Amino acid sequence: MPVQAKIGPSILNADLADLAAQSQRLLDNGADYLHLDVMDGHFVPNLTFGHSVVKCLRNKIKDAFFETHMMVSKPQQWIEPMADAGVNLYTFHVEPVQDDIESVCRKIQEAGMKVGLAIKPGTGVEAISKYLDLADVALVMTVEPGFGGQAFMADMMPKVEWLRQNYPNLDIEVDGGVGPKTIDCCAKAGANMIVSGTAVIQAPDQKEVITLLKSTVQSYNK
């Protein structure tokens, strides 16, 4: 079975004062999941939102698949609160917890969530390779984490290719600068979970862009 194409808009690019309505609109327009960027002001310089906002969003949107992308220095600190908030996939950066990756994965699983392992552009796949049997998703950042609207880094694609060659059934996610102009590069390398912020949120026709991204991924995963 080929891996499934899944499009997860990053709601960080939406109007956060109207988050529930904008999130529902994305789902109505074909989004497969919502990608929620959580930043702590330490691991990355920006600060976004935490579990209380996610819980409020879950109360409004009962059935959607939520991924939290934890750009935080202490990912273990937020496992229980995010599980309580209704998160399905807890994706954390391995860089600040290099010696505790396995333990963090186990805690996420025990809390009832799926596990995602994320790496920054400067981090090689060897940082996560021996933990992938514990993971449901590998996230390859295609920009430096922490800010939206950056230019896509095509030189990250060898990481995606390596992951797909060695883990043919793994969900491989890319995040950063992905849109209609860069999707072909990602899909060809083997990514099947596509995070897209500005390109989807600010599109005049969100459904059209989501459909294009999804069909491009599917064309390489037959």
Side-chain angles (χ1 to χ4, degrees), residues 59-78:
N59 288 335
K60 299 276 188 183
I61 300 175
K62 304 292 185 187
D63 300 323
F65 191 94
F66 286 5
E67 175 191 19
T68 48
H69 177 190
M70 305 300 295
M71 290 174 261
V72 298
S73 296
K74 296 179 181 177
Q76 58 272 46
Q77 184 176 344
W78 312 109

Side-chain angles (χ1 to χ4, degrees), residues 12 24 30 33 39 48-50 86 115 133 139 147 162 170 175 190 222:
L12 190 60
Q24 187 60 58
Y33 65 103
M39 307 181 194
T48 55
F49 48 78
V115 176
D133 290 339
L139 167 55
F147 298 94
W162 185 90
L170 181 68
D175 177 12
K222 290 178 180 174

Side-chain angles (χ1 to χ4, degrees), residues 21 32 37 69 107 120 134 191 194 210 215 219:
D32 297 286
D37 288 306
H69 177 190
K107 286 175 184 170
K120 296 200 293 185
L134 295 169
I194 307 299
I210 290 170
S215 63
S219 72

Side-chain angles (χ1 to χ4, degrees), residues 8-14 16 19 23 26 33-41 43-54 57 65-72 78 82 87 89-93 118 139-150 173-178 194-198 201:
S10 167
I11 63 167
L12 190 60
N13 299 84
L16 296 180
L19 193 52
S23 296
L26 289 163
Y33 65 103
L34 296 176
H35 183 90
L36 313 176
D37 288 306
V38 177
M39 307 181 194
D40 64 354
F43 179 67
V44 292
N46 248 344
L47 191 65
T48 55
F49 48 78
H51 56 277
S52 56
V53 170
V54 177
L57 188 60
F65 191 94
F66 286 5
E67 175 191 19
T68 48
H69 177 190
M70 305 300 295
M71 290 174 261
V72 298
W78 312 109
M82 286 301 184
V87 169
L89 168 62
Y90 190 95
T91 299
F92 70 98
H93 273 271
L139 167 55
V140 174
M141 290 298 295
T142 44
V143 297
E144 287 295 335
F147 298 94
Q150 296 180 64
E173 187 175 43
V174 286
D175 177 12
V178 183
I194 307 299
V195 178
S196 185
T198 311
I201 304 283

